[in-house]
């Protein structure tokens, strides 16, 4: 059934206030397979920039039936983050989520693009801009625009400059969901089968976090504060327990293209990836003392 474009595009912006503690930051890091002490120990804890995807998350998208969307149709299609300052390891943030456009992909489906600005409630500073594209299978055919002019970042036609391997665990989705995405698709075999999958799949945002970690390790020497932008398109679902292989193409001093493959199946899970380093422009103003100490110690 095509979605109800007129209703959906008029959906008012959704404001979400979210308080999180160092425990939540550590849980997110474990959910994306982190092992570095800096991300899993409360003493001088550093939040991964990818954690912005769960900050002020407004909840599972449009479950309301009047929009002509059912949760079974929804797959995560694209994700990007831009960091304007570092994610705090604890605090209260305010997110405002808005639908930017809805694309009609005909028989294939529809793409609903959303953007979320995340501010620190303490000083109202903008922390991150989080853009999400949701692919609604079967939601197309409503007579809408087919493109917004944005093109996926091209992957170079040459061998990658680097590869970083990051194994996921069998219980990865079970850990990741505790950061707030309780979609049964990722844990309940019957619900996964009802959506056409053999078994529960990993959250797309968990795969995204793994890719971010691989890029931070492969391109920034493990210094998470240097990642300022990360974006990619989801092309094949990942199953918990599979090994991810992130291929990196250096495109400039602080910029890489990337793809993330599932090693066991040789399929591409994330593509059209783009990452930028150098850190948020005003980052030194935002780095707390513990973090500065860790950086100077090279941790
Ligand atoms: C709530 C759920 C949470 C999750 O975490 S789910 C897990 C993470 N997500 C995934 O695993 C999704 C993996 N991707 C896929 O399964 C497939 O990939 C899609 C079903 C999303 C699309 O595949 P296909 O139906 O075969 O479409 P096409 O023929 O490749 O492309 C049709 C049009 O759709 C655009 N498109 C394709 N993939 C995406 C995408 N991932 N995000 C946004 N747009 C997409 C193309 O460009 C094209 O458009 P043009 O006809 O105008 O050229």
């Amino acid at each position: 059934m095509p979605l109800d474009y007129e209703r959906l595009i008029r959906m008012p912006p959704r404001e979400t206030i979210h308080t999180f503690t160092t425990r939540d930051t550590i849980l997110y890091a474990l959910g994306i397979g982190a092992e570095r002490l800096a991300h899993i120990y409360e003493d001088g804890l550093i939040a991964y920039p990818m954690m912005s995807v769960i900050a002020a998350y407004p909840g599972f998208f449009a479950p309301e039936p009047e929009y002509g969307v059912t949760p079974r149709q929804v797959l995560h299609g694209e994700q990007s983050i831009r960091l304007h300052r570092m994610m705090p390891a604890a605090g209260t943030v305010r997110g405002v989520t808005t639908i930017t456009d809805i694309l009609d992909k005909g028989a294939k489906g529809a793409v609903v693009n959303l953007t979320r600005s995340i501010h620190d409630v303490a000083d109202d500073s903008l922390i991150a801009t989080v853009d999400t594209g949701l692919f609604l299978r079967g939601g197309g055919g409503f007579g809408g625009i087919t493109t917004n002019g944005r093109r996926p970042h091209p992957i170079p036609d040459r061998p990658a400059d680097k590869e970083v391997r990051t194994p996921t665990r069998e219980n990865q989705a079970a850990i990741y969901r505790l950061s707030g995405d309780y979609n049964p698709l990722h844990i309940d075999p019957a619900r996964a089968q009802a959506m056409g999958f053999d078994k529960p799949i990993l959250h797309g945002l968990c795969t995204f976090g793994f890719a971010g970690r691989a890029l931070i390790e492969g391109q920034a020497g493990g210094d998470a504060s240097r990642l300022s932008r990360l974006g990619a398109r989801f092309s094949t679902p990942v199953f918990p327990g599979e090994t991810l292989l992130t291929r990196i193409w250096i495109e400039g001093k602080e910029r890489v293209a990337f793809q993330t493959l599932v090693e066991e199946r040789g399929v591409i899970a994330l593509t059209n990836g783009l990452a930028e380093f150098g850190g948020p422009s005003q980052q030194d103003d935002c780095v707390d003392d513990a973090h500065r100490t860790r950086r100077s110690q090279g941790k």
Side-chain angles (χ1 to χ4, degrees):
M1 186 178 80
L3 53 76
D4 187 340
Y5 175 83
E6 293 302 334
R7 284 191 95 128
L8 207 49
I9 200 72
R10 284 202 307 270
M11 198 163 97
R14 206 169 275 189
E15 186 182 86
T16 312
I17 303 290
H18 176 195
T19 297
F20 57 97
T21 64
T22 53
R23 188 175 185 280
D24 300 312
T25 298
I26 293 170
L27 189 57
Y28 171 79
L30 294 172
I32 62 162
E35 289 175 350
R36 271 188 189 265
L37 199 59
H39 301 292
I40 59 173
Y41 181 36
E42 57 279 13
D43 183 8
L45 184 68
I46 297 169
Y48 271 112
M50 298 82 77
M51 196 176 102
S52 54
V53 300
I54 61 154
Y57 173 65
F60 192 57
F61 167 75
E64 299 88 345
E66 66 266 29
Y67 294 114
V69 177
T70 68
R72 286 178 175 205
Q73 289 177 276
V74 184
L75 288 177
H76 212 129
E78 291 180 319
Q79 185 64 48
S80 75
I81 55 171
R82 272 170 292 151
L83 272 293
H84 308 289
R85 49 162 284 197
M86 283 184 65
M87 271 295 296
T92 299
V93 293
R94 178 173 54 87
V96 179
T97 306
T98 313
I99 294 182
T100 50
D101 51 65
I102 304 174
L103 308 179
D104 189 343
K105 299 297 182 182
K108 292 283 183 164
V111 177
V112 178
N113 288 309
L114 304 111
T115 190
R116 179 162 94 252
S117 59
I118 300 170
H119 286 80
D120 193 331
V121 164
D123 58 6
D124 205 35
S125 62
L126 179 62
I127 300 173
T129 306
V130 175
D131 292 332
T132 302
L134 297 174
F135 198 97
L136 273 52
R137 296 176 298 176
F142 53 90
I145 56 167
T146 58
T147 176
N148 55 14
R150 280 205 316 266
R151 286 166 187 260
H153 189 72
I155 296 297
D157 185 17
R158 59 180 169 86
D161 298 305
K162 293 181 190 176
E163 286 185 354
V164 180
R165 181 173 283 103
T166 47
T168 70
R169 302 168 69 101
E170 292 288 345
N171 63 357
Q172 204 69 60
I175 301 170
Y176 184 84
R177 68 195 298 273
L178 300 178
S179 285
D181 187 341
Y182 295 105
N183 186 341
L185 166 64
H186 307 293
I187 188 101
D188 182 335
R191 298 289 287 271
Q193 279 170 14
M195 282 187 69
F197 298 102
D198 293 342
K199 53 185 177 178
I201 62 174
L202 202 58
H203 301 72
L205 289 179
C206 181
T207 306
F208 185 79
F210 267 79
R213 221 163 46 72
L215 287 153
I216 289 166
E217 293 302 324
Q219 200 59 22
D223 183 353
S225 73
R226 291 197 48 223
L227 183 72
S228 50
R229 182 174 174 182
L230 180 70
R233 176 176 274 200
F234 298 97
S235 50
T236 310
V238 175
F239 296 107
E242 291 185 319
T243 301
L244 299 172
L245 188 67
T246 297
R247 292 193 171 144
I248 302 172
W249 288 264
I250 296 167
E251 296 198 320
K253 191 161 166 276
E254 304 284 14
R255 181 181 158 119
V256 301
F258 72 94
Q259 257 182 353
T260 299
L261 288 84
V262 177
E263 193 172 58
E264 291 84 349
R265 288 184 285 140
V267 296
I268 298 170
L270 279 180
T271 192
N272 304 114
L274 172 68
E276 288 179 356
F277 298 87
S281 52
Q282 72 281 39
Q283 78 174 34
D284 281 339
D285 300 333
C286 310
V287 176
D288 64 31
D289 288 337
H291 180 243
R292 203 169 277 140
T293 306
R294 284 196 182 281
R295 282 185 74 183
S296 67
Q297 293 170 347
K299 288 187 198 166

